[in-house]
Amino acid sequence: MKTAPPEACSEGDPRFTNWSGSVSFTARKLLRPRDEAAVAGLVRSTVQTGGVLRPVGSGHSSTPLMATENVLVSLDDMSGLLGHDSEAGLATVLPGTGLEDLGAQLDDVGLALKNFGDVNYQTIAGAIGTGTHGTGEDLGNLSSALVGGRMVTGTGEVLSFGVDAGEAPDSELTRAVQVSLGALGILTSLTLRVRPAYHLHRLYVMTHIDWVLEHFDEYAAAYRHVDFYWYPRSDLAQIRILDEPGKLDGIDLPGQVKREETGPSYKIIPNHRDLRFDEMEYMLPRESGLAAFREARERIKERHRAKVGWRVLVRTIAPDQAMLSNARERPTMTIALLQNAELEHRAYFEDMEPLMLRYGGRPHWGKKHTRTAEHLSQMYPEWDRFRELRQELDPQGIYLNDHLRTILGEEGHS
Amino acid sequence: MSHDTALGRTSWAFAAGFMPEDSTGHEPEFTSRDELCLLNMTSSDACAEVTVYHPDRDPVGPYTVEVPADRVRHVRINDLIDPQAVPLGVAYGLRVETDVPLAIQLRHLDTRQAELGVAISSGVSGGR
């Protein structure tokens, strides 16, 4: 087999630091393939040499999912909307497309994603692969929008899956790829479920946490997107409510309006973040989520707010069927703990993690946690099947780094 | 009022910062806290840059606080997180630089017991 011709990839700076600054390493190379053939060529070359390839997106992940001393693969040069079918509610995109760009390009053709994450500077492949989510009782994570696509397996084979392979959108392989941490292959196109473009009205109100807790279930059931930030040093909370224009008319919340505007969904849902933080987030069963939050609130006030001034973010996710989705088969509430990137987070997160686990929490794959395969395998009923698929698709383990070996329970060293 | 005759100074230092870790009573009203109180008696909006000094590490800042013309603003030091949260339970100091003269004091509320303790620290001013 010939390797990819040199002009099919450009090289970038192999020094990598993630968004928060807490993960930093230098790879041997950073390569930027321009197309699927170049990706396949890279993979075949890596199989021959016994190296490691790790795809990297925006670097928003605060775990070392992307870390390698071998080769990083940036898909930034594979960006854009490839096609769409408005009648079928599908759009096919390249993996390096930024979420903000994706929102704009879909809007240009009268379409939109059903939901976004909390921020919009991730790439679509990275956001999907790690289970990125927004909020909404009836809205799944971004991964649940993936219904097909193409990827290069660990043998260099190009494989279509889901609707792109003429299969059901919830085929077994699709459900594995939806949340796969870059362990099954490098995605070269993604086919997403979309809907007609829509506007949202957003209202952010600062009020007391007690009021929010008393009324959260009511508001979360009534409006499309509801979440809240709790501020541990004041016991205030900012409740955020978004719905299509007209739906919030007449709503009357106690407290101070912090923000109110209406616009296209891809501009209204995400929030800008320029203050860097580290984060631990756990996905809890919806029915026990608020009880977990109440207990977390008391523990933070008692033990941690001397050093932690950051808010705690509470959101909801609809259940889905992805093999490794944190929201698999259960309505979900998420609790995210944040700490300034320049301050110590370890003691805080490690003290809070047992509480999250006691309530049945599953850690976010792309955020800080201490779980390993021994624990994680108990959280996901199709764990063994996912591992079988991974071994079939990447028998040499070229997509595995040390972190993935730890969390997936694979032998060896990258 | 013109700039030249406004009460206040453009540089201030406070050495007595300390926010107790514990509070009693309903929050946020009775959170133990320090509040930076900034009074702008000029006809221009003020931008204050705050630097926080710590016993065990380099100063952190700037934290930016805006005070509209002819207004007072109280900022809870507890709530500052950009660029870093200010720790509770340890001493800290403040330096405040402003682009128009302000009168600035630091108010301390200590609710570690039900009988409240309130104190006001005048800052050390410099410049004009």
Side-chain angles (χ1 to χ4, degrees):
Chain A
M1 285 285 188
K2 290 187 176 180
T3 60
E7 60 272 20
C9 295
S10 58
E11 290 200 26
D13 185 347
R15 294 169 296 177
F16 182 87
T17 302
N18 77 331
W19 181 82
S20 71
S22 67
V23 177
S24 187
F25 62 91
T26 301
R28 183 167 59 82
K29 281 187 179 183
L30 170 66
L31 296 176
R32 299 166 60 113
R34 288 203 312 272
D35 57 29
E36 184 177 81
V39 174
L42 279 179
V43 173
R44 290 191 289 263
S45 170
T46 303
V47 169
Q48 289 175 16
T49 61
V52 171
L53 289 178
R54 285 301 299 154
V56 63
S58 62
H60 194 255
S61 175
S62 61
T63 60
L65 278 173
M66 76 298 284
T68 181
E69 294 172 355
N70 213 274
V71 177
L72 277 177
V73 179
S74 167
L75 300 170
D76 285 351
D77 290 348
M78 295 176 64
S79 178
L81 181 63
L82 286 174
H84 67 279
D85 181 339
S86 298
E87 185 171 330
L90 299 174
T92 301
V93 306
L94 288 167
T97 309
L99 290 181
E100 184 170 22
D101 287 342
L102 176 57
Q105 292 181 43
L106 288 172
D107 193 59
D108 286 345
V109 295
L111 296 170
L113 293 176
K114 288 181 69 180
N115 203 359
F116 263 85
D118 188 53
V119 297
N120 63 5
Y121 36 76
Q122 292 168 277
T123 63
I124 186 63
I128 284 181
T130 55
T132 294
H133 65 93
T135 193
E137 303 273 29
D138 297 323
L139 299 166
N141 55 28
L142 266 69
S143 312
S144 65
L146 183 71
V147 294
R150 291 166 66 86
M151 69 178 178
V152 178
T153 69
T155 63
E157 178 188 1
V158 177
L159 190 62
S160 296
F161 61 91
V163 299
D164 289 64
E167 298 165 354
D170 60 347
S171 71
E172 183 186 59
L173 183 55
T174 303
R175 293 190 304 104
V177 175
Q178 282 174 328
V179 179
S180 54
L181 315 173
L184 299 182
I186 294 182
L187 291 167
T188 53
S189 72
L190 301 87
T191 298
L192 306 172
R193 185 81 69 196
V194 292
R195 55 159 283 178
Y198 61 107
H199 279 211
L200 287 174
H201 177 182
R202 79 173 151 189
L203 175 64
Y204 295 1
V205 173
M206 189 73 81
T207 186
H208 198 276
I209 185 60
D210 290 333
W211 183 91
V212 172
L213 293 175
E214 183 182 350
H215 294 278
F216 184 83
D217 289 339
E218 168 196 352
Y219 280 85
Y223 298 103
R224 190 173 200 269
H225 308 259
V226 180
D227 63 27
F228 68 88
Y229 278 122
W230 170 64
Y231 295 85
R233 289 184 169 184
S234 64
D235 242 359
L236 294 178
Q238 183 173 206
I239 187 168
R240 307 190 302 187
I241 303 182
L242 297 80
D243 210 324
E244 297 193 47
K247 297 287 180 58
L248 270 59
D249 291 355
I251 192 171
D252 184 24
L253 305 176
Q256 180 186 9
V257 173
K258 302 295 286 186
R259 190 169 192 181
E260 181 165 20
E261 60 202 315
T262 300
S265 60
Y266 77 95
K267 291 185 176 178
I268 292 292
I269 298 174
N271 299 279
H272 181 68
R273 303 266 180 257
D274 57 15
L275 180 56
R276 303 301 164 101
F277 55 83
D278 275 303
E279 185 174 2
M280 182 175 85
E281 185 174 41
Y282 264 79
M283 282 66 175
L284 306 161
R286 176 68 176 90
E287 68 272 12
S288 58
L290 285 180
F293 171 78
R294 286 186 171 90
E295 189 171 333
R297 171 188 172 199
E298 292 309 312
R299 185 180 288 201
I300 292 168
K301 288 176 74 175
E302 182 182 334
R303 302 186 192 180
H304 296 293
R305 69 175 183 174
K307 294 190 173 113
V308 176
W310 269 84
R311 54 202 178 222
V312 173
L313 175 58
V314 176
R315 295 181 280 177
T316 60
I317 315 173
D320 62 64
Q321 294 298 319
M323 289 185 180
L324 296 190
S325 169
N326 321 95
R328 180 187 153 83
E329 290 187 338
R330 67 187 194 189
T332 294
M333 176 164 273
T334 74
I335 298 180
L337 309 177
L338 286 71
Q339 173 64 309
N340 286 104
E342 294 174 347
L343 297 178
E344 177 57 47
H345 64 267
R346 195 164 286 102
Y348 175 33
F349 292 171
E350 289 187 4
D351 181 64
M352 300 301 296
E353 191 170 34
L355 188 162
M356 303 296 173
L357 293 165
R358 178 155 41 83
Y359 279 92
R362 296 166 171 157
H364 191 300
W365 293 107
K367 300 179 184 180
K368 303 290 192 193
H369 67 88
T370 65
R371 301 296 88 187
T372 60
E374 178 185 6
H375 317 107
L376 295 164
S377 61
Q378 304 305 308
M379 299 175 181
Y380 296 98
E382 290 186 276
W383 180 265
D384 289 343
R385 182 57 184 150
F386 181 88
R387 289 187 63 205
E388 287 170 5
L389 287 169
R390 194 215 65 70
Q391 287 156 8
E392 289 168 18
L393 294 167
D394 180 20
Q396 205 163 299
I398 70 160
Y399 293 129
L400 296 178
N401 64 4
D402 287 341
H403 179 70
L404 280 175
R405 288 181 185 276
T406 297
I407 62 175
L408 295 179
E410 301 283 358
E411 299 296 327
H413 176 66
S414 64
Chain B
M1 301 185 74
S2 75
H3 224 85
D4 292 338
T5 58
L7 291 173
R9 292 287 186 271
T10 56
S11 296
W12 292 88
F14 299 86
F18 180 86
M19 297 176 286
E21 289 190 41
D22 297 321
S23 302
T24 62
H26 190 262
E27 300 191 45
E29 302 95 312
F30 297 112
T31 309
S32 293
R33 63 188 180 269
D34 287 351
E35 293 179 17
L36 186 64
C37 308
L38 307 105
L39 173 59
N40 183 0
M41 292 172 280
T42 77
S43 56
S44 302
D45 292 343
C47 180
E49 293 203 333
V50 181
T51 303
V52 177
Y53 289 77
H54 300 282
D56 55 0
R57 54 194 162 102
D58 289 340
V60 175
Y63 302 74
T64 303
V65 180
E66 295 176 355
V67 189
D70 285 321
R71 295 290 188 269
V72 67
R73 185 169 175 193
H74 290 192
V75 176
R76 292 164 55 122
I77 302 296
N78 305 45
D79 292 346
L80 298 180
I81 59 166
D82 185 356
Q84 286 181 18
V86 182
L88 311 182
V90 296
Y92 72 91
L94 294 176
R95 174 178 180 168
V96 185
E97 303 284 348
T98 67
D99 54 1
V100 300
L102 301 185
I104 305 182
Q105 293 173 307
L106 195 62
R107 176 177 184 260
H108 310 269
L109 176 62
D110 184 344
T111 70
R112 285 176 287 183
Q113 59 175 17
E115 290 73 29
L116 305 181
V118 180
I120 303 292
S121 292
S122 297
V124 175
S125 64
R128 58 167 307 281

